[in-house]
Amino acid sequence: MSKIFVDACFRRPTPHTPIWMMRQAGRYLPEYMEVRKRAGNFLNLCHAPDMACEVTIQPVERLNVDAAILFSDILVVPNEMGMELEFIKGFGPKFPSPLETQEDLDALDIDAAEKLTYVYETIRMVRARLADDKALIGFTGSPWTLATYMIEGQGTKTYAIVKKLLYTNPGYMHALLAKLTHVIKGYLERQILAGADAVQIFDSWASALEEPAFFEFSWNYMKEIADYIKTKYPHIPVLLFPKGISGFLDKIDGNFDVFCVDWSTPIELAKEKLGDRYVLQGNMEPTRLYSREATLEGVKHIIDVMGITEGHIFNLGHGMLPDLEPENAKYLVDLVHEITAR
Ligand code: CP3
């Protein structure tokens, strides 16, 4: 059976514009909180395929979105490369021993993709339980975004440590990015073999870089991974999400299918620069979801620009927030399905 989301990624006709939401599985859903409590903590949940499967499917059943996204986290990759990882309540992820020396770099395990078996098992379980017309999206962080966490050790406002390294020791950065690129190719490939119908690469920290650095240290590696996947698995859509780079859209190119537009990029600009070459995914400002009026206005604007036609996947321009009303998310999904019915 054809999947509406996959058809849309390839610009094939669909009955409506498909919609899913970044971070659609998570804390705003009481049924997620219940499973996370059972798991004990967030990482346990990522490591337990039966529970990760359950929370992957929850938003599909509650909201009727057109795609599920694998429940996991981008940081399980550095974790399996050998870096200790904690998720601290109210603070976020933390690597207590960030990368500093050549020895730290040499110690990273480049066979980590073979160790992420709980992710592949989750994918197999979800694919077996998910309705045939719903797609399952696999994902990874980009090399640059993962490298940022591995060097800073945690989230950062200034990116001072990682950017100091980038400009003072670019060889170290490239060696790290090359290792991550190698692991991520194998990781996405195994996700596809386990049953992922599409894969998305999140470059959440793209906007930390000036133009030449973005292309040299982030986009080139994302393109290399995308090209590897597209060459081996042309039937699998590849979606790239470099967040906050609206100033560089003219220079975006590469072998991939869908460009994900963040909320700070005007959708008309993305359409003008990229809409002929790539299907666009996005880009409603996530906090509009707190208000039905703001949601309606946001949807109308995006659909006015993108049209009721092929070439668009509706999504938020970044992740859903934890204190959101699930009913408002359902309102958005129903609205997009109704307005865009062919
Ligand atoms: O529904 C989905 O989107 C699938 C699951 C998913 C999670 N993280 C679950 C999660 C996905 C795709 C991610 C990606 C991710 N993780 C990114 C890239 C996307 C983005 O948001 O830019 C990044 C940067 C991370 C790193 C990360 N993980 C942070 C910064 C945090 C803490 C932030 C917060 O909101 O607390 C996490 C934890 C995390 N990952 C949670 C979830 C549901 C919250 C954990 C919890 O239940 O307490």
Side-chain angles (χ1 to χ4, degrees):
M1 189 180 203
S2 86
K3 295 176 174 49
I4 296 168
F5 172 83
V6 172
D7 284 341
C9 291
F10 290 132
R11 239 183 253 274
R12 295 193 285 249
T14 54
H16 55 254
T17 298
I19 172 170
W20 67 280
M21 282 169 275
M22 288 188 268
R23 286 284 170 94
Q24 65 188 18
R27 289 163 292 184
Y28 76 103
L29 290 177
E31 59 268 35
Y32 168 83
M33 292 312 287
E34 195 266 315
V35 179
R36 197 185 71 174
K37 200 169 150 200
R38 240 195 294 147
N41 64 44
F42 174 69
L43 257 189
N44 286 350
L45 181 50
C46 294
H47 291 158
D50 53 338
M51 287 190 276
C53 168
E54 199 177 333
V55 297
T56 300
I57 291 174
Q58 282 172 352
V60 182
E61 290 182 342
R62 189 195 269 252
L63 306 175
N64 193 30
V65 283
D66 297 284
I69 180 158
L70 161 73
F71 188 85
S72 183
D73 196 81
I74 60 169
L75 301 178
V76 295
V77 168
N79 187 209
E80 295 298 352
M81 290 174 82
M83 296 186 69
E84 191 195 331
L85 170 65
E86 297 165 19
F87 282 88
I88 300 167
K89 246 204 180 115
F91 175 80
K94 188 169 174 73
F95 292 105
S97 312
L99 300 182
E100 277 174 26
T101 63
Q102 186 62 41
E103 290 71 48
D104 295 341
L105 182 59
D106 294 341
L108 292 173
D109 181 357
I110 58 163
D111 297 322
E114 289 165 25
K115 299 199 291 186
L116 288 146
T117 50
Y118 47 90
V119 171
Y120 315 134
E121 184 56 23
T122 302
I123 290 174
R124 274 190 287 273
M125 290 175 81
V126 173
R127 200 48 276 173
R129 271 185 53 189
L130 202 60
D132 271 352
D133 61 337
K134 307 284 190 191
L136 172 58
I137 304 168
F139 72 88
T140 176
S142 70
W144 161 250
T145 291
L146 294 181
T148 301
Y149 274 106
M150 293 161 85
I151 289 163
E152 296 271 349
Q154 59 192 55
T156 162
K157 288 204 166 69
T158 61
Y159 304 90
I161 308 171
V162 67
K163 290 208 275 184
K164 181 176 173 190
L165 183 74
L166 183 153
Y167 289 109
T168 58
N169 195 351
Y172 190 103
M173 269 314 290
H174 279 303
L176 172 57
L177 293 165
K179 283 194 173 191
L180 284 163
T181 298
H182 168 82
V183 172
I184 289 167
K185 284 178 185 169
Y187 183 44
L188 290 182
E189 187 161 14
R190 284 170 175 82
Q191 291 188 33
I192 291 165
L193 295 174
D197 301 300
V199 291
Q200 176 161 327
I201 306 180
F202 289 90
D203 193 15
S204 306
W205 304 148
S207 65
L209 296 171
E210 61 167 336
E211 185 177 314
F214 167 69
F215 286 99
E216 180 180 344
F217 293 93
S218 185
W219 188 248
N220 280 350
Y221 290 99
M222 287 175 70
K223 281 204 305 193
E224 183 183 332
I225 297 163
D227 191 53
Y228 176 82
I229 297 294
K230 289 308 302 181
T231 303
K232 282 186 94 167
Y233 307 96
H235 62 294
I236 298 290
V238 172
L239 299 84
L240 301 185
F241 181 35
K243 185 172 176 290
I245 57 129
S246 57
F248 318 151
L249 296 183
D250 278 327
K251 300 211 172 120
I252 290 296
D253 69 344
N255 185 9
F256 66 98
D257 303 288
V258 179
F259 184 86
C260 310
V261 186
D262 72 277
W263 60 265
S264 73
T265 301
I267 190 77
E268 26 303 68
L269 182 71
K271 188 182 181 199
E272 179 202 324
K273 304 281 186 195
L274 299 171
D276 294 343
R277 288 183 287 139
Y278 301 107
V279 169
L280 300 181
Q281 174 172 279
N283 76 337
M284 196 176 86
E285 150 70 79
T287 39
R288 280 189 181 268
L289 277 176
Y290 288 111
S291 148
R292 298 249 171 140
E293 295 72 48
T295 298
L296 180 61
E297 187 188 53
V299 169
K300 277 189 173 157
H301 175 69
I302 291 168
I303 301 295
D304 269 355
V305 174
M306 292 310 299
I308 300 175
T309 180
E310 282 61 56
H312 181 219
I313 295 161
F314 204 98
N315 205 316
L316 304 176
H318 201 193
M320 294 176 77
L321 296 154
D323 62 345
L324 198 95
E325 284 295 332
E327 284 313 304
N328 285 9
K330 176 76 174 132
Y331 170 77
L332 170 64
V333 175
D334 290 345
L335 187 65
V336 169
H337 283 164
E338 261 169 51
I339 299 187
T340 66
R342 315 290 197 239

